[in-house]
Amino acid sequence: MATIDINKEIIWDPKFETGIQRIDLEHKIFLELFNSYRIAIIQKKNQFELNKIINVIEKYAEFHFTSEEAFMAQVNYPGIENHQHLHFDLLEKLNIAKHKVDNSIEFLQFAYEWFAHHTTHEDRSISTFVNKNNIQTNYQLNI
Amino acid sequence: MPINKSILIVDDVSDNIVLLQSILDKAGYNTIAATSGIQAVDLCKEIDLDLILLDVRMPQMDGFETAMQIQNNSKNAETPILFLLVKTDESNISNAFKNGGVDIINKPFNDEELLARINTHLTLRAQQNNLAQLNITKDKFLNILAHDLRNPFNSLLGFSELLHESIDQADLNKIKKYADIIQNTSKNTYDLLNNLLSWAQAQQQGMVVKKELVNLNELINELVQNVENAAESKNIEIFISLNEPIAIWADQEMLNTIIRNLLTNAIKYSKVGGEIKIKGVINNNFAEIRIKDNGIGMDETTKNSLFKVLETKSKKGTKGEVGTGFGLILCKEFVELQGGKISVESQLEKGCEFIFTIPIKNN
Ligand SMILES: Nc1ncnc2c1ncn2[C@@H]1O[C@H](COP(=O)(O)OP(=O)(O)OP(=O)(O)O)[C@@H](O)[C@H]1O
Ligand SMILES: [Fe+2]
Ligand SMILES: [Mg+2]
């Protein structure tokens, strides 16, 4: 996994693409938040300010997982239960990581890898299922 | 700072345990960890806990099943259980309270909130315990009012009426007899009332230990002198052996009550010509005092009911001496208030030995 360069913008990588509009859109917000955190580090913001951003990342992760689980239910994705458990594990890991944030760059690195692993592995299986079953996912169909 | 509160943390992920332990240790709690439900249930049979943090998602036996087993068959059936659940785990969250939890700790959590919730439930538990204790006190109080204080009044009223009639008849013999009965009954009832009030006061934590440097040798000599008459009337000899001068930091009044009660009992339940031995030694920062008689002793049932406030009974002495059945209850209360322990060794017809300890230092 690539090491984060604190001075470079964290950008969208095509390998993150699931092809499901809603999910890709939500995933992009994660990168926005990581960049906010990165810039706060460069600006030497204090721990209190950094914690606020961590808090936003945490709340957003909760939102995104709930949203993704709702999507899986809507398309009758068979691996939904297992996937939900992976989400639980991710939130537990995030909890542990946020308590060890004496090194902010380390937390950023953790968060990025956490995200990348989640999108390129677990979420990939959702898009595989959607494509194989020819399920249309767009805004007109409200999914 | 939480004093000596023990919290069990149950989670299959050891990183979660390490995290919780570091937060709780820093806050001053004693923590114990288990990595499976089975291990937790076993621990709960052995150790008295104040609170349990229990992960729900665990392989083999989940948190709900674990809670049920803890609450069904262990000494921690009443210990508050807080379930650890991921914030988005809606279905388990809605079931947590039905499965024996008093609260939920979300993962991810925030330290202040975690500690505040734990503190709230520990406080609630302590208040419940206090209430239960107070209820026992109240029951006992009412019980004594209903029986032990009512009966003497029957006899006081009855005999004062007889006394009145005897005065009319100018029967001096009867007057003297009834006056004696009234006098003795009043005295015994007054003792009971005093003991009852002291005990109730100690129960309500209204009793403060006033420690001062007490010379045990002097104190014991003095108390023995006070009971000399009673001892002589049964021809009992009292031996004191303190191999060294013992000075301890203790509450003199309480110490008086303890030793006086034990000595009085020893005399009361000794036969004519008996022997009482008082021994004092220092043992690991504790003064240990033993009061031994070779009197009537007691059976197992009596022995097991000693020191228990709901089971107090009073037996007449070898010369018909009456008591209130409160002496040993007060002894136990006063020994424990000062940080010591009291116990008894006895066999029927073989005499009794009461042993109590008091820490010698002032802390
Ligand atoms: N030295 C002893 N030998 C035999 N039995 C004893 C002895 N000390 C206590 N007991 C038993 O324990 C019971 C409880 O003792 P306790 O001192 O609490 O009450 P009491 O002596 O009956 O009344 P009080 O002390 O209030 O006058 C006694 O009634 C007696 O049956
Ligand atoms: Fe996702
Ligand atoms: Mg007594």
Side-chain angles (χ1 to χ4, degrees):
Chain A
M1 191 72 56
T3 315
I4 298 252
D5 180 345
I6 193 78
N7 294 306
K8 271 208 210 124
E9 190 185 346
I10 300 167
I11 51 164
W12 183 255
D13 186 323
K15 72 176 181 208
F16 297 153
E17 201 94 29
T18 62
I20 302 161
Q21 256 176 318
R22 160 75 71 77
I23 293 181
D24 286 341
L25 181 71
E26 288 182 10
H27 282 169
K28 282 175 185 156
I29 307 271
F30 270 113
L31 298 186
E32 293 285 319
L33 295 174
F34 295 165
N35 277 313
S36 306
Y37 188 75
R38 185 183 60 84
I39 291 163
I41 297 175
I42 297 175
Q43 293 174 338
K44 302 217 177 326
K45 290 274 165 65
N46 61 26
Q47 194 61 51
F48 180 75
E49 294 298 324
L50 291 174
N51 282 345
K52 278 194 200 164
I53 305 176
I54 293 180
N55 196 32
V56 176
I57 294 173
E58 178 185 308
K59 300 297 165 212
Y60 185 69
E62 287 164 12
F63 160 76
H64 168 64
F65 291 157
T66 310
S67 161
E68 213 172 72
E69 285 155 20
F71 173 83
M72 290 187 280
Q74 202 166 359
V75 300
N76 293 318
Y77 176 60
I80 178 166
E81 200 177 318
N82 186 41
H83 195 116
Q84 192 184 24
H85 286 176
L86 293 171
H87 283 166
F88 294 158
D89 289 341
L90 280 171
L91 285 170
E92 287 195 5
K93 288 213 176 75
L94 184 63
N95 183 41
I96 289 161
K98 81 162 180 179
H99 279 93
K100 291 199 253 196
V101 285
D102 9 348
N103 186 334
S104 312
I105 301 176
E106 235 170 59
F107 178 77
L108 185 60
Q109 181 72 35
F110 160 83
Y112 182 76
E113 285 173 19
W114 176 88
F115 166 80
H117 187 272
H118 164 72
T119 45
T120 55
H121 290 76
E122 282 112 46
D123 290 354
R124 179 56 41 81
S125 348
I126 308 177
S127 66
T128 311
F129 169 80
V130 163
N131 291 335
K132 212 168 76 191
N133 293 281
N134 260 327
I135 299 170
Q136 295 302 309
T137 58
N138 59 42
Y139 293 115
Q140 277 74 39
L141 290 169
N142 195 28
I143 42 178
Chain B
M1 270 279 151
I3 309 155
N4 279 332
K5 293 284 183 193
S6 301
I7 300 180
L8 174 67
I9 305 167
V10 191
D11 200 310
D12 56 313
V13 178
S14 60
D15 279 348
N16 285 333
I17 291 185
V18 172
L19 172 62
L20 284 164
Q21 257 180 332
S22 79
I23 297 170
L24 298 184
D25 285 348
K26 223 178 283 160
Y29 294 106
N30 300 328
T31 55
I32 303 148
T35 51
S36 73
I38 296 163
Q39 205 187 347
V41 171
D42 282 346
L43 275 170
C44 282
K45 288 179 191 151
E46 305 291 325
I47 307 170
D48 267 321
L49 297 157
D50 295 295
L51 188 137
I52 301 170
L53 292 177
L54 179 51
D55 185 31
V56 174
R57 277 193 321 124
M58 294 191 291
Q60 285 155 13
M61 188 156 124
D62 72 5
F64 293 158
E65 171 69 26
T66 306
M68 200 182 79
Q69 293 204 15
I70 290 174
Q71 291 172 343
N72 271 349
N73 59 14
S74 80
K75 53 174 14 174
N76 286 290
E78 303 284 322
T79 308
I81 294 179
L82 280 67
F83 285 120
L84 297 165
L85 275 163
V86 173
K87 186 91 130 269
T88 55
D89 190 352
E90 311 278 347
S91 65
N92 279 330
I93 287 177
S94 25
N95 286 324
F97 293 95
K98 278 181 250 159
N99 283 279
V102 294
D103 208 348
I104 292 167
I105 303 287
N106 282 317
K107 300 189 223 182
F109 51 72
N110 143 305
D111 294 8
E112 283 76 36
E113 188 190 330
L114 168 78
L115 291 172
R117 275 182 200 274
I118 288 176
N119 186 42
T120 299
H121 288 287
L122 287 172
T123 310
L124 266 177
R125 187 80 203 112
Q127 285 170 344
Q128 278 170 356
N129 285 341
N130 276 349
L131 274 180
Q133 188 56 45
L134 235 70
N135 225 4
I136 294 179
T137 308
K138 186 206 71 188
D139 285 352
K140 180 65 186 172
F141 219 99
L142 292 179
N143 211 11
I144 288 175
L145 286 182
H147 300 98
D148 306 75
L149 277 180
R150 199 156 178 253
N151 292 340
F153 273 101
N154 285 339
S155 102
L156 286 175
L157 289 170
F159 282 109
S160 51
E161 199 181 323
L162 286 175
L163 183 65
H164 211 243
E165 285 168 11
S166 312
I167 291 174
D168 292 342
Q169 295 159 10
D171 187 337
L172 262 184
N173 273 340
K174 279 190 176 164
I175 292 175
K176 189 162 178 345
K177 187 177 150 207
Y178 298 148
D180 275 352
I181 295 176
I182 292 172
Q183 161 83 29
N184 289 338
T185 311
S186 312
K187 169 148 192 335
N188 192 238
T189 313
Y190 183 67
D191 288 347
L192 172 62
L193 191 63
N194 269 337
N195 282 344
L196 179 64
L197 291 175
S198 301
W199 173 75
Q201 198 191 358
Q203 290 298 298
Q204 290 169 358
Q205 276 121 20
M207 200 156 253
V208 192
V209 181
K210 287 182 285 240
K211 288 209 173 179
E212 57 188 307
L213 199 59
V214 180
N215 180 327
L216 259 189
N217 310 54
E218 269 176 27
L219 183 92
I220 291 178
N221 282 329
E222 214 170 280
L223 287 166
V224 168
Q225 265 168 32
N226 289 344
V227 295
E228 214 118 79
N229 275 341
E232 268 167 22
S233 76
K234 287 190 185 175
N235 211 2
I236 294 169
E237 255 197 288
I238 303 180
F239 302 91
I240 307 174
S241 80
L242 272 66
N243 8 1
E244 46 187 323
I246 301 182
I248 59 174
W249 282 93
D251 185 310
Q252 170 125 20
E253 279 301 309
M254 291 187 184
L255 214 51
N256 261 327
T257 307
I258 299 164
I259 299 174
R260 189 176 358 96
N261 267 314
L262 295 179
L263 260 179
T264 316
N265 281 351
I267 295 170
K268 192 156 79 174
Y269 300 109
S270 280
K271 296 173 198 163
V272 174
E275 258 180 25
I276 294 171
K277 288 181 182 146
I278 306 172
K279 266 194 201 161
V281 288
I282 290 183
N283 208 340
N284 290 328
N285 288 326
F286 281 87
E288 184 184 280
I289 294 146
R290 294 168 169 262
I291 297 178
K292 185 176 181 170
D293 64 64
N294 59 354
I296 61 169
M298 60 181 88
D299 57 23
E300 282 296 305
T301 330
T302 311
K303 200 157 82 180
N304 292 332
S305 72
L306 292 185
F307 310 118
K308 291 184 188 146
V309 77
L310 292 179
E311 297 175 28
T312 53
K313 276 190 210 89
S314 183
K315 186 187 165 99
K316 281 194 175 157
T318 51
K319 277 209 164 161
E321 302 99 313
V322 288
T324 68
F326 246 92
L328 290 177
I329 300 289
L330 280 179
C331 288
K332 181 178 155 76
E333 204 71 53
F334 289 171
V335 166
E336 289 179 354
L337 272 172
Q338 299 182 75
K341 288 205 170 100
I342 186 165
S343 61
V344 62
E345 281 163 24
S346 175
Q347 270 181 345
L348 202 58
E349 291 304 327
K350 294 252 167 76
C352 262
E353 182 169 25
F354 282 86
I355 305 136
F356 73 93
T357 59
I358 302 280
I360 54 177
K361 294 221 175 92
N362 184 21
N363 50 12

